Amino acid sequence: MTNALISQVRRLLAAGATALLALAAPLAQAQVVTYGAPIDLDTAKKIAAAAIAEAKKNNFTMAVAVTDTAGDLVYFEKMDGTQTGSVDVSQGKARSAVRFKRPTKVFQEIEAAGGDGLRILGLQGAVPVEGGIPIVVGGKIVGAIGTSGGSSAQDGQVATAGLAALK
């Protein structure tokens, strides 16, 4: 191997390592939070009601799912006129957020970066679309909310509004 080729290989390896570190940073940060006792039905309903109110305020039609720490459904609501595909998508986003301990927007951003970030598509159950957010109470993950029916940004807006009901 020539010195020029060796130098090129080293540069590529260094660039690849830098890219992997950049992708891993948001994933590693989110895993610090541990699971707590699963969300109760009354709290799940409160979060969903706030999310639905935000959707109505903005004339969005949404499906809202709230799951426990295992990603199992605790509460679900679908507004009239919501596309039927949003039922499974909202539940998938919530399940992804709670099981991977991070908002699904993190996966969306990693995938959008391309390159090695496309490996995210190989993670079973990881939904790379904004709208799934873990529910953290007392510093512990107790469940997650998942919303679907609008654009990624609209889904994220509605999910965030649902979480604001906890404050």
Side-chain angles (χ1 to χ4, degrees):
M1 220 184 255
T2 67
N3 286 342
L5 185 56
I6 291 171
S7 293
Q8 186 177 6
V9 169
R10 285 182 179 156
R11 279 194 303 275
L12 288 173
L13 288 173
T18 302
L20 284 175
L21 287 173
L23 292 173
L27 296 177
Q29 291 170 358
Q31 293 182 350
V32 175
V33 181
T34 60
Y35 294 109
I39 191 168
D40 62 68
L41 181 60
D42 288 339
T43 305
K45 286 181 178 181
K46 182 178 177 181
I47 291 168
I52 293 291
E54 179 71 11
K56 286 180 180 178
K57 180 177 95 176
N58 290 283
N59 294 314
F60 304 151
T61 53
M62 293 275 169
V64 177
V66 178
T67 63
D68 62 15
T69 54
D72 296 325
L73 195 59
V74 174
Y75 186 77
F76 176 80
E77 191 166 340
K78 179 175 76 78
M79 297 170 66
D80 292 341
T82 302
Q83 61 191 5
T84 56
S86 290
V87 172
D88 290 336
V89 173
S90 65
Q91 292 176 35
K93 287 179 181 182
R95 189 174 301 111
S96 179
V98 75
R99 289 185 178 172
F100 289 99
K101 297 182 175 182
R102 64 191 44 87
T104 56
K105 183 177 182 180
V106 170
F107 291 129
Q108 177 177 300
E109 291 168 349
I110 291 170
E111 181 185 45
D116 287 339
L118 294 177
R119 292 178 184 173
I120 228 82
L121 297 173
L123 292 179
Q124 185 176 2
V127 178
V129 184
E130 185 175 359
I133 305 173
I135 300 168
V136 179
V137 175
K140 302 219 182 249
I141 297 174
V142 299
I145 183 172
T147 58
S148 180
S151 67
S152 290
Q154 291 168 343
D155 292 352
Q157 175 185 340
V158 170
T160 300
L163 291 181
L166 294 177
K167 296 179 182 176

